[in-house]
Amino acid sequence: MENNNNNMGELKAQNQNKKQVRLFYCMECEELAAKVAAQSQLITLQSINWRNFDDGFPNLFINNAHDIRGQHVAFLASFSSPSVIFEQLSVIYNLPRLFVASFTLVLPFFPTGSFERMEEEGDVATAFTMARILSNIPISRGGPTSLVIYDIHALQERFYFGDHVLPLFETGIPLLKQRLHQLPDAEKIVVAFPDDGAWKRFHKLLDHFPMVICTKVREGDKRIVRLKEGNPAGCHVVIVDDLVQSGGTLIECQKVLVAHGAAKVSAYVTHGVFPKRSWERFTPKNDEGSEKGFAFFWITDSCPHTVKAIGNRAPFEVLSLAGSIADALQI
């Protein structure tokens, strides 16, 4: 009995040291927000009335605004298209001004991350523009905003942010590693990277797996995927990258791996962007890879529209960021 009382006392003390977080969210993220809140009794969902005036501009109302004074507040965002960014920024800029103890913005997918460099005069690096917008979030009573982003496309983008935000760069790779260890052929897993950039980005997080690296070479007007190093023969090869758009590179990489003897090929990306329903290329009916197709295609729920669109269609499987986000809110 005494041990039970001691354990309860320790648990209570631990919870007292943790933050009670009031979590707001955009409409797209309602399902993910519910999953995050289910991870911890310390996270309470809050609501916003998302409406529009007749002219199309946002008519927004933060419910129970007085109740969040002195509280730790977070907002779960999804900048899935330019049309929804303004209304979410309006809320994001307002919440820190409501005398909250601290403010955390969770933006799982940083959407302009792949537009981070200039190749010729006149190119606009919109990743820098977005970073500047987020860097101007008002400071709360607790100090600068904490900004949580998963697998940002280029690590150097951390230097695009100003001093008014504290970027916290997380990764979905632990979710993949956990899933791979659950597979019946876990001992035959080989990790493949579609290019050197993906290898530089992720190889240290996956260094206990054998690795294969592909590369793109130019032949005339085309860029062809080739095997650069490693041996996929007889193995279950998992292609790893941060995001997918059209999926063309993944499909070409899969064909090359099968041609070199891979027993089966799967893929993981943190962000399944898939514009214009390009995920349909990977379903069994439309698979454009080799005859074997993809065994699994793992994505996270960083892009809610994609998760809703693919449903439970094979070969897709969603690995939720909810637990990781709940942990990040306690940092």
Side-chain angles (χ1 to χ4, degrees), residues 225-277:
V225 176
R226 295 279 185 262
L227 187 66
K228 180 180 178 182
E229 61 182 78
N231 181 16
C235 297
H236 181 180
V237 184
V238 180
I239 307 169
V240 175
D241 209 348
D242 62 319
L243 62 84
V244 59
Q245 297 266 5
S246 69
T249 298
L250 292 179
I251 288 171
E252 292 305 310
C253 193
Q254 186 256 4
K255 291 177 180 178
V256 169
L257 293 167
V258 170
H260 283 80
K264 55 184 174 180
V265 178
S266 296
Y268 165 85
V269 296
T270 302
H271 310 298
V273 185
F274 290 122
K276 300 179 180 178
R277 295 178 65 89

Side-chain angles (χ1 to χ4, degrees), residues 255-305:
K255 291 177 180 178
V256 169
L257 293 167
V258 170
H260 283 80
K264 55 184 174 180
V265 178
S266 296
Y268 165 85
V269 296
T270 302
H271 310 298
V273 185
F274 290 122
K276 300 179 180 178
R277 295 178 65 89
S278 56
W279 55 266
E280 292 179 342
R281 302 175 69 180
F282 296 90
T283 56
K285 184 178 178 181
N286 299 303
D287 200 311
E288 298 176 26
S290 71
E291 293 181 3
K292 294 182 180 180
F294 281 79
F296 295 96
F297 199 129
W298 293 290
I299 63 173
T300 75
D301 41 8
S302 67
C303 299
H305 279 321

Side-chain angles (χ1 to χ4, degrees), residues 19-302:
K19 296 186 291 186
Q20 294 276 350
V21 179
R22 307 292 183 94
L23 178 61
F24 292 88
Y25 52 91
C26 67
M27 289 185 290
E28 285 179 34
C29 288
E30 183 175 6
E31 184 175 337
L32 177 55
K35 290 181 180 178
V36 172
Q39 300 291 318
S40 171
Q41 295 179 345
L42 299 169
I43 300 173
T44 306
L45 292 182
Q46 305 293 300
S47 63
I48 295 169
N49 293 339
W50 301 91
R51 300 164 300 189
N52 290 311
F53 291 107
D54 290 340
D55 62 3
F57 277 88
N59 176 15
L60 308 169
F61 186 81
I62 299 170
N63 294 309
N64 303 313
H66 283 280
D67 295 343
I68 64 173
R69 290 179 176 177
Q71 303 296 315
H72 299 288
V73 171
F75 183 80
L76 179 58
S78 175
F79 290 178
S80 59
S81 71
S83 63
V84 300
I85 292 176
F86 178 70
E87 64 181 15
Q88 291 182 58
L89 284 174
S90 299
V91 171
I92 290 165
Y93 272 53
N94 196 63
L95 285 171
R97 296 179 178 274
L98 296 177
F99 297 94
V100 300
S102 69
F103 181 61
T104 300
L105 171 60
V106 182
L107 181 64
F109 175 48
F110 186 72
T112 57
S114 56
F115 307 101
E116 84 285 2
R117 60 184 180 271
M118 293 174 57
E119 295 183 354
E120 62 177 311
E121 193 67 33
D123 282 341
V124 177
T126 52
F128 182 64
T129 307
M130 181 64 72
R132 292 186 68 181
I133 291 171
L134 296 177
S135 296
N136 283 287
I137 297 172
I139 294 176
S140 70
R141 291 176 66 185
T145 293
S146 298
L147 172 60
V148 182
I149 297 174
Y150 283 82
D151 290 317
I152 197 166
H153 183 67
L155 292 178
Q156 66 266 26
E157 291 175 49
R158 69 174 62 231
F159 303 111
Y160 292 178
F161 295 91
D163 294 337
H164 285 187
V165 292
L166 300 173
L168 175 63
F169 297 110
E170 296 283 11
T171 179
I173 294 297
L175 298 174
L176 171 65
K177 290 165 71 173
Q178 183 181 28
R179 183 67 183 94
L180 293 182
H181 287 306
Q182 295 169 352
L183 297 177
D185 57 357
E187 299 301 317
K188 290 189 174 183
I189 296 293
V190 168
V191 171
F193 301 104
D195 51 42
D196 287 324
W199 176 82
K200 290 176 183 177
R201 180 66 186 279
F202 294 118
H203 80 277
K204 290 183 179 178
L205 300 174
L206 295 159
D207 59 2
H208 60 289
F209 290 102
M211 294 185 184
V212 166
I213 303 174
C214 295
T215 189
K216 297 174 185 174
V217 296
R218 188 171 296 280
E219 291 186 0
D221 295 333
K222 296 182 179 180
R223 297 187 72 188
I224 308 297
V225 176
R226 295 279 185 262
L227 187 66
K228 180 180 178 182
E229 61 182 78
N231 181 16
C235 297
H236 181 180
V237 184
V238 180
I239 307 169
V240 175
D241 209 348
D242 62 319
L243 62 84
V244 59
Q245 297 266 5
S246 69
T249 298
L250 292 179
I251 288 171
E252 292 305 310
C253 193
Q254 186 256 4
K255 291 177 180 178
V256 169
L257 293 167
V258 170
H260 283 80
K264 55 184 174 180
V265 178
S266 296
Y268 165 85
V269 296
T270 302
H271 310 298
V273 185
F274 290 122
K276 300 179 180 178
R277 295 178 65 89
S278 56
W279 55 266
E280 292 179 342
R281 302 175 69 180
F282 296 90
T283 56
K285 184 178 178 181
N286 299 303
D287 200 311
E288 298 176 26
S290 71
E291 293 181 3
K292 294 182 180 180
F294 281 79
F296 295 96
F297 199 129
W298 293 290
I299 63 173
T300 75
D301 41 8
S302 67

